[in-house]
Amino acid sequence: MDIKFNKNEDHNKLKLSEVRNRFAKIKLGGGKGRIEKHHAKGKMTARERIAFLLDNDAESIEIGGFAGEGMYPEHGGCPSGGVVLKIGHVQGKQCIVVANDATVKAGAWFPITGKKNLRAQEIAIENRLPIIYLVDSAGVYLPMQDEIFPDKEHFGRIFRNNAVMSSKGIPQISAVMGSCVAGGAYLPIMSDEALIVDKTGSIFLAGSYLVKAAIGESIDNETLGGATTHCEISGVTDYKSKDDKDALTTIKSIMGKIGDFEKAGFNRTKAQKPKENQGDIYGLLPASRSDQYDMLEIIKRLVDNSDFEQYKEDYGKTLLTGYARIDGWAVGIVANQRKVVKNGKGEMQFGGVIYSDSADKATRFIANCNQKKIPLVFLQDVTGFMVGSKSEHGGIIKDGAKMVNAVSNSVVPKFTVVIGNSYGAGNYAMCGKAYDPRLIVAWPSAELAVMSGNSAAKVLLQIEKASLEKKGEKITAEKEKALFERIKGRYDQQVSPYYAAARLWTDAIIDPLSTRKWISMGIEAANHAPIEKAFNLGVLQV
């Protein structure tokens, strides 16, 4: 291995170490003190509940672990969005588990909490996966109620989705393991089956204080809406559990009896590990986002037996397209080639840039994958589409539009991995979040923005300079440099993978070596949902 490989490896492993260290703090939720108070009430934490529920010998993935990171500092923060979300298996059945973290503001719903819950339901709906809610929440976080309550994608959408999922036959099971108040009380009761834990679980539209204020009735919360009330008097809940473990064991029993599902029929054979050393990824991926590298070498370390059958290998070379298997599943891969290449005319083309020929190739390949019912995997390291008079006269906008059209109308499941740059319209064409990938994850090396921090800072600097000069200020070289660094620093923070993950623009920041697991579990989930419509590109400007 050369010195550059070693430097890349050190850089990327340090980035991965930072991800792990930051996530270790996030997993503490509201902190050790609040966890101890939670345990003192005889309750398990959200993560402990999920760990007890999921099958020990099966893989699981966590969605939105970094949600809320760095957000709401004036409100004390909201680690993981105050809710833990995992895709795993219960009694051999793949499902989604959503658990409120009551150590974070008593499980109250921040705006990002609502967004994360809606993401869980979106995954359940599009993959027809059973969903389990472990409820322990004080309801809407009142200081921010205007950002979580009334809009279309706010709190109320949760219950609308409960109803929609029920109509689609998607199993929903809820366990009330703590507070479940006000509008939130509808979630468990709109599920197929509801459990409640004795003495710690409670369900009511209004607590005892509000009841006293509203109608003058004096009553304690347990009598008002505890387990005995709802299992013996109101009939609101279906099972009374003595403690958390008893409730979770009952859920396991219910899940173990769910029948089989109609499968989409995606092709799978026996999984094989890549022939090439997967760990080489750390050394192959450059420390600098502007450096060139061969994406084909990355692909060889992600796919079974390192076999990648290229489609139109010698045409449109700034995009790699081809067929492979990941953990046995057949996939079609669309990846940005990051090294300088020559096109068929002998002209040099920049790595990471989408040209007309590569956009045309990708459009055709995506159509083929839809024809053959093969899931698509997008590996992003893209700076955008080629600009300039030659590209514009050659119809780059038209060819780019064709690719965006194909991605938008694709009916097979799509999965996106942001390896490096994800800039501008390149993000769109390579199936960014707006284009409904079933899962979208980022490596620690990822950057998501309209353009790079350096380019954006140069543009913004010119605007700010012009504004200051209009006011009569003289801009010295030193002041210009300071302005540039300040602007670039602010912008660089926004392009970071943590900024994107905090806002759920991506589902997770993952170890590159976990990529195969994420894609495999994603296709396993997608296999629950047969394709119900034909692929149709609509009108294209040929």
Side-chain angles (χ1 to χ4, degrees), residues 473-488:
E473 290 191 37
K474 186 178 179 182
I475 310 298
T476 62
E478 292 79 8
K479 189 167 185 177
E480 182 173 331
K481 183 180 178 182
L483 270 174
F484 177 81
E485 293 300 329
R486 178 171 60 81
I487 294 168
K488 186 176 182 298

Side-chain angles (χ1 to χ4, degrees), residues 26-174:
I26 286 169
K27 287 198 288 187
L28 292 174
K32 291 181 180 179
R34 288 182 183 172
I35 290 173
E36 288 171 5
K37 288 179 181 178
H38 200 72
H39 286 159
K41 296 175 184 176
K43 297 163 71 174
M44 302 164 74
T45 66
R47 292 184 181 279
E48 289 167 347
R49 288 166 176 165
I50 293 177
F52 184 87
L53 183 62
L54 294 181
D55 296 346
N56 291 328
D57 57 348
E59 298 276 19
S60 68
I61 53 178
E62 181 166 348
I63 306 291
F66 281 93
E69 197 207 26
M71 299 172 70
Y72 320 120
E74 69 277 21
H75 296 280
C78 188
S80 268
V83 63
V84 182
L85 164 58
K86 287 196 176 185
I87 300 177
H89 299 80
V90 176
Q91 297 295 291
K93 302 284 195 307
Q94 194 181 35
C95 60
I96 301 175
V97 185
V98 183
N100 298 115
D101 186 350
T103 70
V104 179
K105 290 287 193 296
W109 288 53
F110 282 70
I112 196 66
T113 316
K115 188 173 183 178
K116 187 169 175 179
N117 276 268
L118 289 171
R119 177 65 179 138
Q121 291 183 321
E122 178 184 42
I123 293 170
I125 291 170
E126 62 191 3
N127 296 293
R128 294 187 178 274
L129 276 187
I131 186 167
I132 298 166
Y133 308 98
L134 306 180
V135 184
D136 194 346
S137 171
V140 167
Y141 182 60
L142 290 178
M144 302 188 75
Q145 65 84 27
D146 61 321
E147 297 182 44
I148 182 61
F149 173 66
D151 208 349
K152 180 179 178 180
E153 299 296 330
H154 282 178
F155 190 66
R157 189 76 171 182
I158 303 290
F159 318 125
R160 176 265 187 194
N161 286 350
N162 287 141
V164 168
M165 283 190 280
S166 184
S167 73
K168 292 178 180 290
I170 299 169
Q172 299 176 84
I173 301 167
S174 289

